[in-house]
């Protein structure tokens, strides 16, 4: 046999077996057959090749090798002789006769290989069994010892049908049970649901007389309703406003409090709350007037901001302010006026003192429907449709579902502005709040500290401009020292609540407010550095100084402050404790200067204060962006941080030069034209080796067509194993344990009753 | 061959020489023969087989399911194709059947009217072949691993029995009672063998890795214990003194003339001993795979000029030259572990039984007809050959 044929055969077999395909490539197979036809030597060689491939621990390789085998088995007597001679091993490798050597993964291919091998052995037995004794023996071995079912193909259908029928029957039984239970449940729950629905409807009627459950379908189609606002009878002077929204923002989205312009707004809001909580109204009485004054100042600004933000409720907002103005100007709270509101998307309902009970009932009902009734009804519908139950049942369930959904839809249409009862009641219902006011835009949570906030947006962020107002009560003092232009603001109950919440948040280190507080305390005010628009800011910063004074713990030096210590620095030596036996010359008291000095002094360590990094690296990145890392001095990727323009070029000349130099050096190391992919393309085109392999990173998979066995191993278990059975981990654990043992040994080794365990 | 024949004709040679040469040739050409089949009766592994010595016609086999079968090996049909019929069977339906796995079966050496079987149900039964009923039942305290009747004994009819008990029992067929106990082993006795040369000499192999040779007339103890280091103290560690193997010894076999004794152990070794002196002959057979926890039945050829050993080795049977330790060939045909093999001295055939329920007959393949012969019947023979065996034809299709 020629060497070339040999090589060709090896190559073909390897290609065929590592193709990973379920079927062999016919052209290559033909070539193999052509070579094998020539002589028995070729068949010998092929047999060994195939057997070695069959021994590979990969079922795809084995399957392909097996297919080659079966192709040749039917053709060559010599091959049959060889294979039958080693039939035991062949069966072990393909039919899994030895339970100690299971077929390798992947599992599906292994299963396929096994069934294919069994079928093939059967067909071989049919055609060659009489001539090749060992083949017959192997067949009988499979049949009698391994109990392989050769009639699988026919038998399976019968068995499968039976199994299928059985399964169907079982499923039917299960479904029947389920339908029965669902029926029973429905009987029980139907009344309850209907009661809930009625209640909901009547609640809604109470809230919104012209809005009944029945006209829900029409609500959607009707463009807009002009409805008299329901607040008129309640006597509340404020229509629905964005108070909740703002509250929400101050709670959640607050990052920045800078100017004092928002204070007025706060005051304005506070007023509304004051009315709600009448009990606490008295204490805020006098501040209220001042708050109103303030508000007038900020009015314009606020309007602007509202326009920026919400187009939908803008109108009402303006009305709100008009009305506020009216109240402020006239000074009386009218009970008689009414307002027509254009509600663009639908209705807006505000929770007030009066309808609070109703609204809370609505909330409860809504929750009941969403969490309990609707899922139950949906479950029934599912069960009925799956089990193919009677139409009547299904229709009833569907009706229920429809009415429930209608109720929900209507509830949604109402757009009830709920009070923030979340904190008042319990934290667990926090999520509900979000559900209710879904007509508000979600403001994305801001990350990090943003020093530059445009003036007109500041209130937008729902921020208290002065750092002191929202700070902890301890720091309230500076607020009082505000310039007279800003009189002490109303300390109404709601604002105190707001404050309290803020303080709470500040205590929580995970909250943004905490960071903010640190920033506020450490950073000089932004307003100070920028062109100071308001004089108060610089003043306030000077006011802040006493706060910055170090607080020291109480000590002896403070205790004796300004006093002469009687016996400081004196050491009384008692040389002997004996009663009467005293050595002759003993100086009983020793003056120690050092000690004396120490008692009057104090060490204060001054590590400096933390300043957060505000600059970015801003080195140009490959994708055209600038590096956003905020390191203090040195970026781990781009070296020292230098000032750069908006294109990322350094301002200073020497920095620019240095970077250019580095770039040049890098280019020399890896010239541009040696781009790896380009090189590969060139190589492919010219066929010359330009040593592009040198730059290829990582190990290339040897047989890319085979499915990767290691890939399957990436399970949570394997990942855990990697961690737990990590060498260093094991060593560490062993170390700790041996240390514990040793300690025990050292302690108790000479006590025999401990020594034994 | 022709030289042998002429020498025989001229009376130059001993007739034995020709016989030896021919039988050696036959043994060397042992193959799994498609013409010879043995009925598949056993539904479970076959632990033991025995061929009677008188006619060489009947073969006993004992299975792991307690079934005992007697086969007729003789082919009277006149065709090369022959399936050894099961003459009679002690099947599961029989009331006298062994409850558990039959470990040893043996014909009575002088008559086929009787055979003895022992089993893991702690009994040894002496059967009447005609009625297939036990004539005598011996009961023991432990599982019976092995028993043996002396093939040449004229003065006694003792059956040596190795059981889970380290004491070797001697049962007398004449009286039907256990008459003697040989003490000396410390673990279960896996195999017992009478010497084919001296009727009172008995070899026993035990799980304590010792092999002892006894003279049953001597009451005081064994004659000697086989020592793998032949008494060389320097090579043996203290606990390995007087051991034949470094593991359980589960196979024993005398050569046909009784001069040598072969042992196999779970240390995957086979050793050849001088049975007269107990000296290790240090023949190296290489690795003989052996992980059986029970007795391993292996055999030695008879009447060949270098003798051969047939020893089960995993799922195949290894054939070694006895005195050189050279591996002659591996007979591969079983699909599971082989437990026993037996040599038919008259026809130079080998029968083997294994866990795959098969008893395979290894029959010498006669040399293919010579060239002249083929030329002589070229017209008829070749065509006939091809028509007889179409399966042996290559089937290369033209389009490939």
């Amino acid at each position: 046999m020629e060497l070339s044929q040999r090589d060709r055969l090896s190559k073909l077999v390897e290609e065929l077996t590592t193709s990973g395909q379920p079927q062999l490539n016919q052209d290559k197979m033909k070539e193999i057959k052509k070579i094998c036809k020539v002589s028995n030597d070729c068949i010998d060689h092929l047999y060994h090749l195939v057997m070695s491939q069959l021994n590979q621990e990969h079922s795809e390789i084995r399957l392909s090798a097996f297919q080659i085998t079966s192709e040749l088995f039917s053709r060559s007597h010599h091959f049959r002789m060889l294979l039958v001679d080693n039939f035991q091993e062949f069966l072990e490798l393909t039919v899994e006769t030895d339970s100690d050597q299971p077929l390798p993964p992947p599992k599906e291919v292994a299963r396929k290989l096994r069934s294919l091998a069994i079928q093939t052995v059967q067909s071989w037995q049919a055609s060659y069994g009489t001539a090749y004794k060992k083949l017959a023996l192997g067949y009988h071995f499979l049949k009698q010892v391994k109990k392989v079912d050769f009639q699988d193909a026919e038998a399976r259908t019968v068995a499968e049908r039976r199994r299928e029928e059985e399964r169907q029957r079982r499923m039917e039984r299960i479904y029947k049970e389920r339908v029965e239970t669902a029926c029973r449940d429905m009987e029980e729950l139907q009344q309850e649901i209907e009661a809930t629905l009625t209640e909901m409807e009547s609640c809604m009627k109470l809230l919104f007389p012209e809005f009944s459950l029945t006209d829900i379908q029409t609500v959607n189609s009707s463009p807009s309703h002009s409805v008299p606002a329901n607040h008129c009878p309640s006597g509340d002077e404020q229509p629905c406003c964005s108070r909740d929204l703002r509250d929400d923002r101050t709670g959640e989205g607050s990052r920045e409090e800078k100017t004092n312009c928002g204070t007025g707004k706060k005051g304005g809001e506070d007023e509304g709350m004051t009315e709600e909580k009448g009990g606490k109204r008295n204490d805020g009485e006098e501040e209220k007037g001042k708050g109103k004054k303030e508000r007038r100042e900020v009015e314009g600004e606020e309007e602007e901001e509202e326009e920026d933000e919400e187009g939908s409720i803008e109108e009402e907002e303006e009305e709100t302010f008009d009305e506020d103005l009216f109240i402020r100007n006239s000074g009386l709270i009218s009970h008689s006026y009414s307002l027509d509101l254009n509600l663009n998307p639908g209705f807006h309902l505000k929770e007030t003192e009066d309808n609070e009970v109703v609204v809370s009932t609505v909330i409860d009902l809504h929750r009941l429907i969403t969490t309990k009734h609707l899922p139950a009804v949906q479950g029934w519908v599912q069960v009925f449709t799956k089990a193919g139950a009677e139409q009547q049942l299904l229709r009833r369930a569907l009706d229920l579902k429809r009415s429930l959904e209608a109720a929900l839809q209507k509830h949604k249409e109402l757009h009830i502005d709920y009070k923030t009862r979340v904190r008042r009641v319990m934290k667990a219902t926090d999520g509900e709040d979000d559900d209710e006011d879904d007509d508000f835009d979600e403001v994305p949570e801001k990350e990090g500290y943003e020093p530059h906030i445009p003036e007109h947006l500041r209130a937008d962020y729902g921020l208290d401009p002065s750092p002191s107002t929202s700070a902890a009560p301890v720091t309230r003092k500076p607020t009082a020292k505000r310039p007279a232009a800003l009189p002490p603001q109303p300390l109404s109950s709601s604002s105190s609540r707001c404050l309290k919440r803020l303080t709470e948040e500040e205590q929580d280190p995970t909250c943004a407010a905490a960071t903010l507080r640190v920033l506020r305390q450490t950073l000089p005010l932004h307003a100070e550095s920028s062109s100071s628009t308001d004089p108060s800011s610089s003043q306030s910063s000077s006011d802040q100084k006493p706060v910055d004074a170090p607080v020291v713990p109480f000590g002896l030096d403070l205790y004796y402050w300004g006093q002469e210590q009687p016996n400081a620095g004196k050491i009384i030596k008692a040389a002997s404790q004996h009663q009467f036996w005293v050595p002759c010359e003993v100086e009983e008291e020793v003056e120690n200067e050092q000690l004396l000095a120490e008692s009057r002094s104090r060490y204060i360590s001054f590590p400096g204060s933390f300043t957060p990094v505000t600059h970015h690296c801003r080195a140009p990145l490959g994708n055209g962006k600038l590096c956003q890392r905020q390191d203090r001095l040195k970026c781990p990727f781009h070296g020292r941080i230098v000032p750069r323009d908006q294109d990322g070029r350094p301002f200073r000349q020497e920095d620019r030069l240095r970077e250019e130099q580095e770039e040049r050096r890098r280019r020399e190391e890896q010239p541009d034209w040696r781009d790896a992919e380009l090189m590969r393309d060139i190589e492919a085109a010219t066929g010359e080796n330009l040593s592009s392999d040198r730059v290829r990173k990582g190990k290339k998979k040897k047989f890319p067509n085979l499915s990767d066995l290691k890939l399957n191993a990436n399970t949570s278990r394997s990942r855990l194993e990697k961690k737990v059975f990590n060498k260093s981990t094991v060593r560490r654990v062993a170390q700790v344990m041996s240390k514990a043992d040793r300690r025990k040994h050292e302690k108790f080794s000479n006590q025999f009753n401990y020594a034994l365990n | 061959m022709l030289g042998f024949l002429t020498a025989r004709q001229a009376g130059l040679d001993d007739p034995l020489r020709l016989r030896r040469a021919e039988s050696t040739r036959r043994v060397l050409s042992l193959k799994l023969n498609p013409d010879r089949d043995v009925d598949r009766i056993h539904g479970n592994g076959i632990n033991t087989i025995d061929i009677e010595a008188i006619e060489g016609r009947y073969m006993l086999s004992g299975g792991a399911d307690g079934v005992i079968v007697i086969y007729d090996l003789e082919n009277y049909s006149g065709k090369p194709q022959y399936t050894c019929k099961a003459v009679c069977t002690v099947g599961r339906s029989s009331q006298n059947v062994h409850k558990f796995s039959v470990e040893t079966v043996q014909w009575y050496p002088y008559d086929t009217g009787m055979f003895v079987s022992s089993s893991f149900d702690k009994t040894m039964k002496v059967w009447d072949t005609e009625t297939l009923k036990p004539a005598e039942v011996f009961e023991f305290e432990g599982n019976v691993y092995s028993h043996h009747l002396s093939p040449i004994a004229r003065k006694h009819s003792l059956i040596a029995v190795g059981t889970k008990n380290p004491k070797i029992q001697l049962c007398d067929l004449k009286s039907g009672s256990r008459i003697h106990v040989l003490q000396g082993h410390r673990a279960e006795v896996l195999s017992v063998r009478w010497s084919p040369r001296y009727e009172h000499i008995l070899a026993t192999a035990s799980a304590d890795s010792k092999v002892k040779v006894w003279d049953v007339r001597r009451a005081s103890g064994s004659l000697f214990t086989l020592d793998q280091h032949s008494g060389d103290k320097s090579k043996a560690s203290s606990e390995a003194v007087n051991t034949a193997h470094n593991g359980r010894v589960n196979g024993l076999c005398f050569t046909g003339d009784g001069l040598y004794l072969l042992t196999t152990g779970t240390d995957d070794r086979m050793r050849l001993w001088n049975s007269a002196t107990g000296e290790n002959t240090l023949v190296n057979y290489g690795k003989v795979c052996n992980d059986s926890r029970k007795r391993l039945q292996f055999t030695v050829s008879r009447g060949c000029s270098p003798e051969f050993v047939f020893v089960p080795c995993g799922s195949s049977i290894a054939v070694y030259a006895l005195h050189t330790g050279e591996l002659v060939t591996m007979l591969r045909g079983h699909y599971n572990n082989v437990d026993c093999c037996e040599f038919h001295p008259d026809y130079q055939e080998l029968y083997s039984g294994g866990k795959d329920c098969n008893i395979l007959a290894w029959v010498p393949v006669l040399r293919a007809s010579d060239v002249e012969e083929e030329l002589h019947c070229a017209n008829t023979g070749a065509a006939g050959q091809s028509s007889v065996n179409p399966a042996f034809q290559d089937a290369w299709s033209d389009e490939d």
Side-chain angles (χ1 to χ4, degrees), chain A residues 321-518:
Chain A
F321 298 118
D322 287 348
E323 188 198 334
D324 278 357
L325 266 179
F326 168 67
I327 298 164
R328 252 175 268 131
N329 292 340
S330 65
L332 51 87
I333 297 163
S334 167
H335 287 258
S336 57
Y337 63 80
S338 73
L339 250 168
D340 280 351
L341 281 183
N342 273 334
L343 299 171
N344 298 346
F347 309 91
H348 286 274
L349 191 69
K350 183 175 175 292
E351 183 180 1
T352 59
E353 203 177 340
D354 285 347
N355 60 14
E356 191 181 351
V357 183
V358 183
V359 169
S360 63
T361 320
V362 168
I363 292 172
D364 286 345
L365 289 175
H366 179 257
R367 199 181 305 140
L368 187 69
I369 289 175
T370 46
T371 57
K372 193 183 164 197
H373 292 330
L374 200 60
V377 171
Q378 272 163 348
W380 298 336
V381 170
Q382 228 168 30
V383 167
F384 291 150
T385 43
K386 259 192 195 166
E390 304 138 62
Q391 287 294 310
Q392 206 182 347
L393 279 173
L394 186 61
R395 204 173 302 132
R396 255 167 69 198
L398 280 175
D399 282 346
L400 273 179
K401 192 185 167 196
R402 207 172 300 129
S403 48
L404 281 176
E405 276 170 355
L408 284 184
Q409 175 66 29
K410 185 171 174 195
H411 176 266
K412 206 176 158 194
E413 294 282 329
L414 267 181
H415 292 292
I416 303 175
D417 286 328
Y418 294 120
K419 275 193 285 192
T420 47
R421 61 187 73 224
V422 192
R423 313 233 172 229
R424 222 171 33 187
V425 191
M426 53 204 283
K427 294 227 167 174
T429 56
D430 218 334
E432 180 210 323
D433 220 353
D434 298 346
D435 295 343
E436 303 325 334
D437 46 28
D438 49 1
D439 46 342
F440 297 125
D441 297 344
E442 285 290 330
V443 180
E445 186 92 352
K446 288 272 165 58
E447 278 302 326
Y449 175 67
E450 292 174 73
H452 302 284
I453 290 180
E455 284 291 331
H456 67 280
L457 279 181
R458 214 162 271 157
D460 241 79
Y461 283 81
L463 292 179
D464 227 4
S466 81
S468 43
T469 29
S470 61
V474 201
T475 55
R476 280 204 70 80
K477 237 182 175 179
T479 331
K481 287 180 186 172
R482 279 278 164 96
L486 286 176
Q489 40 173 318
L491 244 186
S492 64
S493 64
S494 67
S495 84
S496 74
R497 201 176 68 201
C498 216
L499 270 178
K500 207 173 143 206
R501 204 166 66 210
L502 271 175
T503 11
E504 262 173 31
E505 279 173 355
E506 279 172 4
Q507 301 305 327
D508 182 6
T510 60
C511 190
T515 334
L516 202 62
R517 190 180 55 149
V518 174

Side-chain angles (χ1 to χ4, degrees), chain B residues 9-144:
Chain B
Q9 240 167 5
L12 291 172
D13 271 348
D14 192 2
L16 211 60
R17 280 195 61 172
L18 174 62
R19 199 181 150 177
R20 273 195 186 138
E22 178 60 16
S23 51
T24 308
R25 192 176 68 84
R26 284 174 67 90
V27 166
L28 285 174
S29 62
L30 277 180
K31 281 272 162 54
L32 191 63
N33 199 326
D35 293 340
R36 186 68 61 89
D37 253 334
V38 181
D39 265 352
R40 268 190 211 90
I41 306 290
H42 291 281
N44 221 323
I46 290 152
N47 286 327
T48 172
I49 51 179
D50 188 44
I51 299 169
E52 48 114 355
I54 305 129
E55 288 177 277
R57 181 171 173 185
Y58 296 105
M59 180 171 75
L60 270 173
S61 73
D65 49 357
V67 173
I68 299 168
V69 186
I70 301 172
Y71 296 97
D72 185 359
L73 301 181
E74 206 73 55
N75 178 7
Y76 288 119
S77 65
K79 288 181 215 156
Q81 183 78 30
Y82 176 65
T83 302
C84 299
K85 293 275 182 324
V87 178
C88 45
T89 307
V90 185
R92 297 304 306 171
S93 52
S94 161
Q95 55 175 348
N96 301 313
V97 72
H98 279 291
K99 284 197 194 70
F100 303 134
S101 159
V102 176
E103 287 304 299
T104 315
V105 286
Q106 196 192 2
W107 288 106
Y108 183 64
Y110 303 110
D111 190 7
T112 52
M114 187 160 81
F115 64 90
V116 186
S117 70
S118 61
S119 154
F120 268 6
D121 63 2
K122 303 178 183 174
T123 60
M124 179 172 74
K125 293 183 180 177
V126 181
W127 299 81
D128 181 356
T129 317
E130 287 300 317
T131 58
L132 281 184
K133 279 187 185 136
E136 184 67 62
V137 177
F138 296 92
E139 294 191 355
F140 301 94
E141 296 87 57
N143 296 344
V144 184

Side-chain angles (χ1 to χ4, degrees), chain A residues 595-609:
Chain A
L595 216 59
L596 185 67
E598 264 180 22
S599 71
R600 284 180 186 167
S601 61
R602 159 186 292 265
Y603 289 110
I604 298 169
S605 54
F606 186 70
S609 57

Side-chain angles (χ1 to χ4, degrees), chain A residues 274-321:
Chain A
T274 323
E275 252 105 32
E276 284 170 19
K277 300 216 153 194
K280 293 181 184 174
R281 196 172 181 173
N282 307 341
D283 47 31
E285 201 73 64
E286 53 173 2
E287 282 118 2
K288 194 170 154 191
K290 291 163 190 168
K292 277 180 187 166
K293 270 186 206 166
E294 265 173 61
R295 200 191 302 166
R296 216 172 299 139
E297 292 170 14
V298 298
E299 196 80 354
E301 216 173 285
E302 206 166 276
E303 270 175 22
E304 260 176 51
E305 138 215 346
E306 298 297 341
E307 272 167 3
D308 286 351
E309 234 206 301
E310 301 119 7
S312 64
I313 50 170
E314 170 190 290
E315 230 174 314
E316 324 160 76
E317 293 282 343
E318 277 194 55
E319 268 164 6
T320 311
F321 298 118

Side-chain angles (χ1 to χ4, degrees), chain A residues 148-180:
Chain A
V148 169
D149 190 2
F150 282 103
Q151 267 65 49
D152 206 13
E154 298 94 54
R156 189 186 286 155
T157 49
V158 178
E160 234 168 42
R161 210 177 306 131
R162 202 178 310 132
R163 231 173 288 142
E164 187 67 26
E165 273 170 19
E166 223 162 76
R167 208 174 62 93
Q168 200 112 31
R169 226 174 297 134
R170 206 173 54 236
M171 291 307 279
E172 247 168 49
R173 206 169 52 240
I174 292 170
Y175 275 137
K176 208 174 159 194
E177 273 171 30
R178 278 203 199 154
V179 166
E180 271 172 20

